[in-house]
């Protein structure tokens, strides 16, 4: 059935994606920093679905992490048929006040590790003429993000990178899908120091729905997946509005989350 490597599998969207892969009979390799959570999830998936589930405990903020993950997979002879670059985090705050160390780490996890893992595993997929990559981007990929400037910029990179690769890879049997969810009910907001006002909480997407949309889109080889009709409409409308207006709108919204 094939093997999936999923980063950020200890919680949230990544954990739900791991459930979906396992339920479909795929073996999984779960990557994150929290060993206890990864072990518990692996055990649940093995018991529930009778698949193979292995864990790799890594901090993707470390420059060598992606290479180390790749070498473990090579040594263990785990052929990666599905790569899910999901690990990521954000930080709310004015750029003049936020910690550079956190933002440097964010770029390392959201951008550098995602790029390195893609670089490592993609050639094997192309050689086999089969493979699927799911890059978890965001609604943030489509617009500038005042008060979360670095996070939005990292997600713009993920979308641009994924669309470009999808084009380069036409005819190879390998596809790259960017999953672009709006606010989703996970631990993301706490890690990002966000206090969502009630209307944002109310319109937050269900994590299972987001994972299902991403999984289905990746399997179909879609280029972009935006879960939820209102969010698809929002992205469509943004194309026709001046960027400065969109930036002002995002700024207004983010202020309410401080
Ligand atoms: N929730 C939203 O509103 C939303 C909206 C759009 C896009 N997204 C994107 O969706 C992805 C998943 O986020 P989520 O909402 O599921 O958040 P989450 O519940 O906080 O999960 C984040 C996952 O990433 C892992 N991670 C974070 N830093 C890591 C590091 N340095 N090394 C390895 N793993 C790391 C975490 O595991 P450990 O802590 O165990 O390492 C965790 O498994 C992210 O890329 C995020 O940007 C989220």
């Amino acid at each position: 059935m094939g093997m999936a490597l999923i980063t950020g599998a200890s919680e949230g969207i990544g954990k739900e994606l791991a459930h979906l892969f396992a339920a479909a009979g795929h073996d999984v390799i779960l990557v994150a920093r929290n060993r206890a959570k990864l072990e518990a999830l692996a055990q649940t998936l093995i018991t529930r679905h009778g698949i193979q589930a292995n864990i790799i405990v890594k901090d993707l903020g470390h420059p060598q992490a992606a290479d180390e993950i790749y070498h473990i997979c090579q040594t263990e002879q785990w052929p990666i048929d599905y790569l899910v670059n999901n690990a990521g985090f954000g930080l709310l705050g004015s750029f003049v006040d936020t910690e550079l160390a956190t933002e440097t780490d964010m770029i390392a996890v959201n951008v550098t590790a995602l790029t390195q893992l893609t670089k490592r595993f993609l050639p094997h997929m192309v050689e086999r003429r089969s493979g699927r990559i799911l890059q978890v981007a965001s609604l943030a990929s489509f617009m500038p993000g005042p008060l979360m400037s670095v996070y939005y910029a990292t997600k713009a990179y993920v979308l641009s990178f994924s669309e470009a690769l999808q084009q380069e890879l036409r005819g190879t049997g390998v596809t790259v899908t960017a999953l672009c969810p709006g606010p989703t009910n996970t631990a993301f907001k706490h890690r990002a120091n966000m206090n969502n006002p009630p209307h944002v909480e109310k319109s937050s997407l269900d994590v299972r729905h987001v994972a299902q949309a991403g999984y289905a889109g990746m399997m179909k080889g879609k280029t972009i997946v935006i879960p939820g009709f209102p969010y698809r409409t929002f992205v469509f409308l943004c194309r026709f509005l001046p960027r400065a207006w969109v930036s002002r709108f995002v700024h207004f919204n983010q202020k309410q989350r401080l």
Side-chain angles (χ1 to χ4, degrees):
M1 288 299 284
M3 187 174 271
L5 186 138
I6 305 162
T7 70
S10 61
E11 296 201 47
I13 299 169
K15 184 176 175 179
E16 287 304 321
L17 281 163
H19 277 284
L20 292 172
F21 274 103
H26 301 292
D27 296 331
V28 291
I29 298 160
L30 312 170
V31 181
R33 291 166 301 180
N34 191 315
R35 177 181 292 278
K37 285 186 181 173
L38 290 181
E39 281 176 348
L41 176 60
Q43 201 46 58
T44 304
L45 298 179
I46 292 166
T47 312
R48 206 176 280 176
H49 303 291
I51 51 122
Q52 264 190 52
N54 289 288
I55 68 163
I56 301 178
V57 179
K58 281 284 168 219
D59 183 342
L60 290 169
H62 288 170
Q64 300 307 322
D67 272 355
E68 287 166 7
I69 291 167
Y70 173 71
H71 287 302
I72 292 170
C73 293
Q74 289 293 97
T75 309
E76 297 290 338
Q77 299 191 330
W78 290 332
I80 304 305
D81 306 287
Y82 305 95
L83 170 64
V84 179
N85 279 308
N86 161 76
F89 67 96
L91 177 66
L92 184 70
S94 172
F95 186 71
V96 291
D97 300 325
T98 47
E99 285 288 333
L100 178 59
T102 309
E103 280 157 340
T104 307
D105 192 36
M106 191 193 302
I107 295 167
V109 177
N110 296 11
V111 173
T112 310
L114 174 143
T115 308
Q116 290 171 332
L117 287 170
T118 306
K119 189 84 175 175
R120 287 303 197 193
F121 289 106
L122 180 59
H124 298 282
M125 295 180 178
V126 171
E127 205 178 309
R128 292 195 299 268
R129 298 198 61 79
S130 141
R132 297 267 180 275
I133 298 177
L134 181 66
Q135 315 281 33
V136 181
S138 170
L139 203 66
S141 304
F142 298 95
M143 59 203 79
L147 298 181
M148 267 190 122
S149 55
V150 176
Y151 176 74
Y152 275 57
T154 65
K155 292 300 179 180
Y157 173 94
V158 175
L159 177 62
S160 171
F161 177 55
S162 308
E163 286 185 278
L165 286 189
Q166 175 80 329
Q167 179 59 33
E168 281 186 28
L169 291 166
R170 277 191 199 286
T172 64
V174 183
T175 58
V176 180
T177 300
L179 172 61
C180 303
T184 307
N185 250 322
T186 66
F188 177 87
K189 52 182 177 275
H190 307 301
R191 291 178 182 216
N193 284 336
M194 296 163 95
N195 293 306
N196 285 346
H199 75 273
V200 176
E201 279 298 312
K202 240 176 113 182
S203 61
S204 281
L205 293 159
D206 172 58
V207 65
R208 186 157 302 176
H209 169 69
V210 169
Q212 278 166 344
Y215 182 84
M218 173 192 58
M219 288 303 180
K220 284 183 193 150
K222 282 191 171 181
T223 306
I224 298 174
V225 175
I226 305 169
F229 178 73
Y231 292 110
R232 282 195 290 281
T233 310
F234 178 61
V235 168
F236 178 76
L237 291 177
C238 279
R239 284 192 211 158
F240 304 102
L241 296 171
R243 292 276 282 182
W245 290 15
V246 177
S247 190
R248 241 177 270 166
F249 173 77
V250 176
H251 195 187
F252 173 78
N253 270 301
Q254 300 290 44
K255 273 192 212 160
Q256 299 177 51
R257 298 167 128 181
L258 280 170

